[in-house]
Amino acid sequence: MANNSPVVEHLKEKLEEYMARFTKVRIVRTKKREGLIRTRLLGASMAKGEVLTFLDSHCEVNVNWLPPLLNQIALNHKTIVCPMIDVIDHNHFGYEAQAGDAMRGAFDWEMYYKRIPIPPELQRSDPSDPFESPVMAGGLFAVDREWFWELGGYDPGLEIWGGEQYEISFKVWMCGGGMFDVPCSRVGHIYRKYVPYKVPSGTSLARNLKRVAETWMDEFAEYVYQRRPEYRHLSTGDISAQKELRKHLKCKDFKWFMAAVAWDVPKYYPPVEPPPAAWGEVRNTQARPNLTACSILIAKQFRITLNFI
């Protein structure tokens, strides 16, 4: 971003002058670009409150959003609590709930975030009650400050952004805590169509995901590599400190996580793809141009393996 950009100017002296009226707010600047993950760690290290609350800059909190998060932490300080993330349209800033509203956080085996229905076993008589979620959607959560640091905070070896929501989610569950989504806490989030900044060369989301997989997913990392074979050759950097943290906290293994916490995820995203329901050939005898496209569509709907001749 150019030095004469009006955005950059707005974030310098003008920002400091504006925020001076809020005595409880401090602006902390890094000496160089650190990215979302390490910058959050810096902010957390400066905070003095009993509870840390992380939000993205492109968020707008709704009415009475904080007390439901604090209440859950008061009940169990080893809890990470997430608000419901509503959608703020990036074109006109309209506000609405996500499709399906309250749903469990999940993932497929390419490590894309997914949302799945709350199973009947976890549904409460009051739909406003908090519910367990295997993974968080992103970086919107509240946590007891001491518990956050006992967990080691974010892994500082993760670069810029990406994968950190899995790392903190796996860690809290496997190391003696829990995570809840709270329907009564609503925070709007602008979902942008593109990333408005450049990621430094040599930095990749894939590296972060492999680092998380190698640190926390044990033998289940192989399912990721089967779908993303290019990840096998990436360097994770030194993860010895993260492995030592797992040992120090006496964390459970990922097999336990899948069985006790994310037991409903394989129903929607199985680690091993089931075999095709049918196998056969589709022959285009009249050379109609759209037949192949239609056949592929049918195959996707019914999980049929096709050979085109």
Side-chain angles (χ1 to χ4, degrees), residues 8-20:
V8 171
E9 293 302 321
H10 180 73
L11 294 177
K12 292 182 179 179
E13 289 79 8
K14 290 182 179 180
L15 175 63
E16 293 180 358
E17 291 173 4
Y18 179 82
M19 297 305 297

Side-chain angles (χ1 to χ4, degrees), residues 51-66:
V51 173
L52 301 173
T53 303
F54 296 93
L55 299 174
D56 292 337
S57 58
H58 40 286
C59 287
E60 184 75 22
V61 298
N62 213 318
V63 178
N64 208 34
W65 66 282
L66 187 56

